[in-house]
Amino acid sequence: QVQLVESGGGLVQAGGSLRLSCAASGSIFGIGAMGWYRQAPGKQRELVARITGGGSTNYADSVRGRFTISRDSAKNTVYLQMNSLKPEDTAVYYCNAESRLVAQYHYWGQGTRVTVSS
C-alpha cells in the first residue's frame, strides 16, 4: 500500500503564502507522477499542479506564476509553494500519486483545507 500524508494547510490572509507538503510511504517504488488537486464548494475537483518523475510540470492557468510544485525523491515528498494567495484559492487540497504498476490507479491523500481570507 501507499500512504500519502499532507500537511501545511490552514488559514492565511490574501496575498500571503503557504507551503503544502505530501509525504509518501509504503510501496514507494510503485509511484510515478504526483500532483495536487483542489475542490472548492460547488465546484468540480481540478488539477492544480503535477510533476513527473523526470521533473516535468503542469499548472492550471489560474495558478501559473504563483504556485510552484517540487519533488524531493530521496524524501518521497512533494511540495506545493503557494504565493500571492487569493480568496478564490480557498479549497480542500488533495495530494495525488499515480501508480507505475497499475493502469489508471491513483493514490490520494486525505485532503488539507486552505482558507484565504480577505
Side-chain angles (χ1 to χ4, degrees):
Q1 295 183 343
V2 171
Q3 183 180 16
L4 304 176
V5 179
E6 301 162 335
S7 62
L11 175 65
V12 67
Q13 295 82 11
S17 298
L18 283 174
R19 188 175 78 158
L20 305 183
S21 299
C22 175
S25 61
S27 301
I28 304 302
F29 189 78
I31 294 175
M34 298 184 69
W36 292 91
Y37 290 73
R38 69 184 182 187
Q39 187 165 27
K43 296 184 178 180
Q44 291 185 319
R45 185 182 63 184
E46 64 174 345
L47 174 68
V48 177
R50 178 177 178 269
I51 185 167
T52 69
S56 298
T57 58
N58 299 327
Y59 293 96
D61 289 342
S62 60
V63 308
R64 187 175 293 109
R66 298 189 297 121
F67 291 9
T68 303
I69 188 170
S70 61
R71 185 172 186 170
D72 187 339
S73 296
K75 294 182 170 62
N76 306 124
T77 301
V78 171
Y79 306 94
L80 185 67
Q81 178 67 45
M82 304 186 293
N83 298 326
S84 302
L85 283 161
K86 305 174 180 179
E88 66 190 62
D89 295 317
T90 295
V92 177
Y93 285 71
Y94 297 92
C95 182
N96 169 267
E98 301 172 16
S99 175
R100 295 178 59 251
L101 307 177
V102 182
Q104 302 182 44
Y105 192 86
H106 288 61
Y107 304 96
W108 293 93
Q110 78 286 354
T112 184
R113 187 177 301 276
V114 172
T115 302
V116 184
S117 64
S118 301

